[in-house]
Amino acid sequence: HRSAARMPNRSQPADGTTPEIETLLTELYEKSAAQKYGLQLDEFRTILLQIGTKYLSVEADSAQVRELYVGLRVEELALARACAAGNERAWEDFMVRFREKLYDVAGFITKEASSARELADSLYADLYGTVGREGKRVSKLSSYTGRGSLEGWLRTVMAQEHVNGYRR
């Protein structure tokens, strides 16, 4: 991960992370409870490094890298990415936590019960994903980065889905 690096040395992994950042990534993995959804440390580490690449400049120092990673909602990130990967336990947890909230948000957006259910159901399909490009699962949840709450992200995605449907 180029952003976490200053000067590569022999003790750094090929991606340039420092030993301190490696320790932090492991701590965040443990905090995330990703293992209960079958996400392995190396998979979660890759997700975190991709987020770092997206949001950190090449010149970022270790304090900036640490600040980004510590600020992530790693529990929600693990849940979202496990859902995107098709993990059934993650989906059960997701539905328990967010189903009613999504129907409430859809009702607020559409102001009509049947339209609200239709909007929420179409969003579930996009969130659950379909097998697409090169046989890989494609889910909107893959784009959640953990920088804000998953609930807030879902509200934004639902509002955008409603606007897209209106335009169609």
Side-chain angles (χ1 to χ4, degrees):
H1 176 264
R2 60 177 202 245
S3 303
R6 290 210 188 201
M7 293 297 277
N9 64 41
R10 286 189 205 142
S11 66
Q12 288 182 319
D15 61 21
T17 58
T18 63
E20 294 81 16
I21 297 301
E22 285 300 321
T23 299
L24 175 62
L25 297 177
T26 301
E27 289 169 2
L28 292 173
Y29 172 74
E30 291 165 2
K31 177 184 174 190
S32 75
Q35 58 274 34
K36 88 175 182 179
Y37 301 126
L39 283 174
Q40 301 301 312
L41 173 59
D42 61 327
E43 294 171 289
F44 196 71
R45 179 185 178 280
T46 298
I47 291 166
L48 293 174
L49 292 176
Q50 288 169 345
I51 292 166
T53 298
K54 181 175 181 174
Y55 292 108
L56 293 166
S57 72
V58 176
E59 298 84 27
D61 63 25
S62 60
Q64 292 167 314
V65 173
R66 182 173 191 71
E67 182 181 354
L68 172 72
Y69 290 140
V70 168
L72 296 177
R73 293 172 173 257
V74 290
E75 298 91 345
E76 291 181 344
L77 178 61
L79 175 63
R81 295 303 180 93
C83 286
N87 180 284
E88 288 305 315
R89 180 169 182 193
W91 271 109
E92 290 168 13
D93 288 355
F94 179 87
M95 295 304 277
V96 166
R97 283 182 64 185
F98 296 104
R99 173 180 236 146
E100 286 307 312
K101 291 175 185 175
L102 285 177
Y103 282 126
D104 290 347
V105 170
F108 179 79
I109 290 171
T110 65
K111 310 288 189 231
E112 202 264 315
S114 66
S115 298
R117 187 144 313 265
E118 201 175 294
L119 176 60
D121 289 343
S122 73
L123 181 61
Y124 284 127
D126 289 343
L127 295 175
Y128 189 78
T130 55
V131 176
R133 294 164 250 168
E134 293 122 34
K136 289 192 173 208
R137 181 183 202 89
V138 179
S139 164
K140 282 191 179 191
L141 284 166
S142 298
S143 64
Y144 175 68
T145 61
R147 291 192 73 206
S149 74
L150 182 53
E151 184 177 343
W153 182 87
L154 289 165
R155 277 195 305 268
T156 302
V157 170
M158 182 171 285
Q160 188 60 54
E161 181 68 24
H162 179 64
V163 169
N164 292 343
Y166 187 78
R167 286 181 181 155
R168 279 189 239 93

